[in-house]
Amino acid sequence: MARERQRIRIGKSQDFATGRIEIVALEGREIGVTRLLTGELRAIANRCPHKGAPICRGIIGGVWDSSGPGEMTFNNNREVLICPWHGFAFDLASGRELFWKRPASLRMYPIEDSGGEVFVMI
Amino acid sequence: MSADPRLKYAPAVPTQDPASSAAEVRRIGQHPQVAAVFIPLVNVLMGHRYYWPIYEACEQLRLPIYLHVTGIESIFSGTPTLAMGTADSYIERYAAVPQVGMASVASLILSGTLEKFPNLKFIFAEYGFLWVPSLFYRLDRTWRGLRHEVPWVRKPPSEYLHERFLFTTQPCDEPADPKELETLISMLGHDVLCFSTDYPHWDNDMPANTLQMLQPSARRAVFFDNAARVLRL
């Protein structure tokens, strides 16, 4: 029988900003919380699906694009989390790995902002 | 060649002067019996723009690039060098020469040259083929993490393998158990392997004995379909 999720308050809305991840410890798990440019929140297990790295300590940024050999442009429209160990890139909105034919996914937890208080369901 | 129109060949075009090489490709490449262009390499990685005039001419004429071990790697100045110096013996050089194939394949993909010439294909003859799966496992894994260095590489490297490369069967570095070789070839993919003999060299593979363990469909791919797909016939 599936365990019922707990709804745990983790802070106030203003505690979570775009471009950085706050790591909170909940019931023995580390969860990274960040805000997308749209204002939505994301709660991510601090474990890379590749080799178990603490992925929430990685950098949030964009991706490099190219029009041809030797040409590089930085596309900062996407919110991408880069794993600090092997550099695999994950789309923060969907949790899915970018640039791979069989993309892995970050583990995401439901998160909600209720009247300025933020709750994660684990 | 005029004796029988079924004969096809890959004329050798020296690469020391790429503009002249391209002119030579255009001069001879229209001939209906030319199926590919053989370029003996100089000590420049294959993805480098040095070779682009030759690639452009070959792509326009729908001719694949054919590479073959020349026997002078790391022997004369200007030839492709093997890692860490000049081998002391023929056997040592022979064992190490797949390095040139590995470096060439990696360079063609990671430089973006395959994106610049989207219809150009490459046949690597006599460089071996059992190193290819290992190279592509490494390329794919590192591309996932280091793609930011080469954003012009638009898809996992192993996808280029199946679209753009052939490797030939001779010399076949066989394990004692043919089933192990069959497994290794299935890891490579039957679509990137092409029958060859190296006749009349001393180390040639006898056609009747080559890859006898392959199933009929794989055999047809290796002995016919793959070459027919890539060569200009």
Side-chain angles (χ1 to χ4, degrees), chain B residues 69-122:
Chain B
V69 173
T70 62
I72 58 169
E73 290 83 1
S74 256
I75 290 180
F76 300 115
S77 176
T79 59
T81 52
L82 304 182
M84 301 187 74
T86 302
D88 286 341
S89 60
Y90 175 79
I91 184 174
E92 190 177 336
R93 191 195 62 81
Y94 188 96
V97 83
Q99 293 170 4
V100 175
M102 296 175 78
S104 297
V105 170
S107 172
L108 283 166
I109 294 171
L110 298 177
S111 64
T113 293
L114 296 186
E115 288 289 339
K116 182 166 181 65
F117 301 98
N119 298 309
L120 193 59
K121 295 184 170 66
F122 296 83

Side-chain angles (χ1 to χ4, degrees), chain A residues 50 63-72 86-89 97-102 104, chain B residues 49 52 111-113 116 140-141 143-152 154 156 158-159:
Chain A
H50 173 224
V63 293
W64 287 97
D65 206 346
S66 172
S67 59
E71 303 291 330
M72 300 175 84
H86 299 99
F88 288 16
E97 184 185 355
L98 297 165
F99 314 120
W100 191 238
K101 48 193 171 185
R102 294 181 298 278
Chain B
R49 62 183 63 212
W52 285 4
S111 64
T113 293
K116 182 166 181 65
D140 274 359
R141 176 175 58 79
W143 181 79
R144 287 172 87 179
L146 298 175
R147 178 203 157 276
H148 62 273
E149 283 196 327
V150 288
W152 40 83
R154 300 200 174 279
S158 57
E159 293 190 16

